[in-house]
Amino acid sequence: HRSYWHENRVQRAMMHSKYMGRDSATRAALGGAGIKNLSQHVLLKEKKHWKDAFNDTITKLTLAESSAVGKDSEHNIIGREKERKQIRRFLKSAIEAANEKETTDQMNSNMFVLFIGGAPGTGKTASVKSIVYHFNKEQAEGKIPSFEFVSVNGMEMRHPFDVYVRLWEAVSIQKSNRKEICPADKALANLEIYFARKRKGEQLSKRKVFVVLVDEIDYLVMKKQTVLYNLFDWPNRGFSEKSPGQLIVLGISNTLNLPERLHARLQSRIGRDRCMYASYSIEESMNILKGKLSITDSNKSIFHPDAIKFAARKISSESGDIRKVFHLCKAAAENVCNDFESGKRQPPQQIQMGRQSHLYEYQGVVNISDIQKASQKMFNSVIYQGVSDATDMEALLFVSLASLQKQWARSRGGFGLKDVVTKMEGVASSFGDRRYLPSPS
């Protein structure tokens, strides 16, 4: 296993290298040097024991590993060919237009903004990040003009104004190789100057292009809607004024009708060019799961084919969220693995196959009944039932606390009642549902 661990050391060195986080073109060039994901390295090892097969499968199905698909690879998002083509066409046109010295008749006022809508877990974010990765490689090869990619998530913000702080921190690193941390009002002023105003003596050739992915923009909705207005207004103003930086915005929402719930002046900034994602069908969910597990006619899995179909059908009837399919199958695999280790079930036995006497017959050992047991635990647990039976305001509180706990408790040392109320107000506004309005104050 010397080669495996050598490549893993190289990968860790690249992860911690200052060059991997500073320039997207350099990052893409280094990332294409033949170093794959750790889970792909594991596949190179001989599976001499059934535990190896289970560990590999469970690793692939973890949400952290699943969400990384497309973040740093050219992974094809199954069933999203049409949507990916639209996003790719938009980004390519916007990046090229941002580098044009003069405005042409083909350029419209909304060519730097794209709204992407759809239910959670339908591949929206993964699609964008996989396309950006591909563009980074083309940028490194000199095929398209240079750009920088920044990603922010509305759910991670304590207050919508915090998006200004996060965005300016990311922009300042690329702009001056130094992260500038400042209050929201100062960050707003800096962004306004950089993305929407022309500086005297500024050379057009020195303009920097920033592709900004604003995920879960629903959580940035406010009564006056100033945050979203600025984000969608800066791209067009900046191009007209030839500001130092050109902003290209892709806004992702977990709803389809968000633009219709916004003010008319904001709707005009978004335009009519939108990309909508439908929920995954059973067939698409099966194909995605098979692709995730690298299942082919010659490469089998610990899952029985009927178990995969059952899992896809179960989640498709619930929500169509592919992440829940991964979670369900991962839970089933963990339960079976635990049963084997504890002796509740007879583990796969060693079999003789030619000269290889260390193979284990583990294919298809996770069956429909295992998926059913995992499903019952997932949907019938005390916590799940408690959340399901919660009142509207209790549910709003749970979502707000979970968001704050995930993003703030570890980095800021905790949060107070004021933070909770502010978050609840933001979440209630993002839903746009009368059940959660007026939000607590």
Side-chain angles (χ1 to χ4, degrees):
H1 302 302
R2 182 175 298 175
S3 175
Y4 162 71
W5 290 113
H6 169 71
E7 291 185 357
N8 197 19
R9 287 175 62 189
V10 173
Q11 184 189 28
R12 291 198 303 271
M14 290 172 62
M15 287 173 58
H16 296 289
S17 170
K18 63 181 180 180
Y19 299 104
M20 292 299 287
R22 179 172 296 177
D23 180 78
S24 57
T26 303
R27 184 165 60 250
L30 291 175
I35 303 300
K36 305 297 183 182
N37 290 333
L38 180 61
S39 61
Q40 291 174 312
H41 275 305
V42 175
L43 284 174
L44 297 177
K45 298 192 299 179
E46 283 189 64
K47 296 175 182 176
K48 295 183 178 180
H49 197 279
W50 60 266
K51 289 184 179 180
D52 291 329
F54 272 85
N55 289 335
D56 293 348
T57 300
I58 291 170
T59 298
K60 287 182 175 183
L61 293 174
T62 58
L63 290 182
E65 177 77 8
S66 299
S67 63
V69 171
K71 182 181 293 185
D72 55 1
S73 70
E74 290 182 275
H75 183 81
N76 290 321
I77 311 299
I78 298 175
R80 295 302 182 218
E81 292 77 14
K82 179 181 176 181
E83 293 83 357
R84 282 169 50 82
K85 184 177 180 180
Q86 180 182 353
I87 296 171
R88 180 181 175 84
R89 183 172 60 247
F90 160 78
L91 269 182
K92 189 173 187 297
S93 298
I95 292 172
E96 291 177 346
N99 287 273
E100 294 290 338
K101 295 183 178 181
E102 296 182 2
T103 304
T104 64
D105 295 337
Q106 287 75 26
M107 297 179 182
N108 60 70
S109 60
N110 302 112
M111 68 181 306
F112 299 107
V113 173
L114 180 64
F115 173 82
I116 303 172
T122 51
K124 302 183 296 296
T125 304
S127 293
V128 172
K129 290 187 175 179
S130 66
I131 293 170
V132 169
Y133 176 82
H134 182 76
F135 276 8
N136 278 335
K137 293 189 69 176
E138 290 190 0
Q139 177 187 184
E141 297 168 358
K143 294 181 179 179
I144 61 173
S146 63
F147 71 94
E148 295 299 334
F149 177 65
V150 176
S151 178
V152 294
N153 190 305
M155 183 65 173
E156 298 177 1
M157 308 300 156
R158 180 178 61 91
H159 189 280
F161 286 148
D162 292 337
V163 75
Y164 296 141
V165 177
R166 298 285 184 89
L167 182 55
W168 181 246
E169 287 177 0
V171 169
S172 62
I173 293 176
Q174 302 297 339
K175 175 176 170 287
S176 57
N177 292 330
R178 182 174 60 89
K179 181 189 288 188
E180 298 181 21
I181 301 176
C182 54
D185 57 345
K186 178 63 176 176
L188 170 60
N190 291 339
L191 291 168
E192 173 75 19
I193 292 172
Y194 190 67
F195 284 123
R197 297 182 186 177
K198 182 178 181 178
R199 287 186 180 179
K200 293 182 180 181
E202 191 78 31
Q203 295 293 326
L204 182 63
S205 59
K206 294 183 179 180
R207 297 182 80 217
K208 270 186 169 290
V209 178
F210 286 85
V211 174
V212 177
L213 170 62
V214 187
D215 208 348
E216 300 196 79
I217 61 174
D218 313 73
Y219 293 98
L220 301 180
V221 175
M222 303 171 63
K223 186 175 182 179
K224 294 184 178 181
Q225 301 178 5
T226 53
V227 172
L228 288 183
Y229 181 84
N230 285 329
L231 289 174
F232 291 128
D233 185 53
W234 284 332
N236 300 317
R237 284 177 56 201
F239 185 71
S240 300
E241 296 292 332
K242 302 306 178 189
S243 58
Q246 174 61 54
L247 198 62
I248 298 172
V249 176
L250 300 101
I252 294 182
S253 169
N254 284 330
T255 61
L256 298 174
N257 66 340
L258 177 64
E260 283 66 41
R261 295 192 279 113
L262 301 175
H263 295 161
R265 66 169 188 157
L266 184 47
Q267 291 184 34
S268 67
R269 297 303 186 274
I270 296 176
R272 297 183 179 181
D273 189 14
R274 304 171 187 178
C275 183
M276 300 303 187
Y277 279 67
S279 297
Y280 285 116
S281 65
I282 297 175
E283 190 69 25
E284 288 172 337
S285 296
M286 290 176 58
N287 290 335
I288 292 171
L289 188 55
K290 289 178 180 178
K292 186 65 178 172
L293 299 176
S294 303
I295 298 175
T296 63
D297 292 338
S298 59
N299 186 34
K300 304 300 182 181
S301 165
I302 63 173
F303 290 96
H304 191 281
D306 290 341
I308 292 177
K309 185 176 182 179
F310 181 84
R313 186 182 297 276
K314 175 68 177 178
I315 300 301
S316 293
S317 64
E318 295 282 344
S319 64
D321 188 337
I322 194 62
R323 295 170 299 186
K324 291 185 178 180
V325 179
F326 292 158
H327 181 73
L328 177 59
C329 290
K330 174 176 175 285
E334 289 175 334
N335 291 339
V336 174
C337 186
N338 291 335
D339 287 347
F340 286 158
E341 291 180 331
S342 65
K344 291 183 179 180
R345 292 170 63 171
Q346 182 69 29
Q349 299 299 305
Q350 216 174 63
I351 61 173
Q352 183 77 28
M353 184 176 293
R355 296 182 179 180
Q356 302 182 40
S357 59
H358 298 288
L359 296 177
Y360 285 78
E361 186 58 60
Y362 55 76
Q363 298 174 2
V365 294
V366 181
N367 53 44
I368 291 180
S369 63
D370 297 314
I371 299 293
Q372 288 176 322
K373 290 178 182 178
S375 176
Q376 290 174 356
K377 289 184 179 180
M378 180 186 298
F379 295 107
N380 297 325
S381 66
V382 175
I383 295 177
Y384 182 88
Q385 289 298 327
V387 174
S388 299
D389 296 337
T391 64
D392 295 335
M393 284 300 160
E394 287 173 342
L396 181 62
L397 176 62
F398 290 155
V399 171
S400 302
L401 287 173
S403 176
L404 288 169
Q405 178 67 26
K406 180 180 179 181
Q407 300 300 332
W408 285 77
R410 290 173 292 184
S411 60
R412 301 298 177 94
F415 49 85
L417 180 60
K418 183 178 180 180
D419 296 321
V420 175
V421 173
T422 300
K423 189 64 180 181
M424 290 179 69
E425 181 181 3
V427 174
S429 298
S430 72
F431 288 159
D433 193 319
R434 293 182 178 179
R435 292 181 299 169
Y436 306 107
L437 297 173
S439 57
S441 59

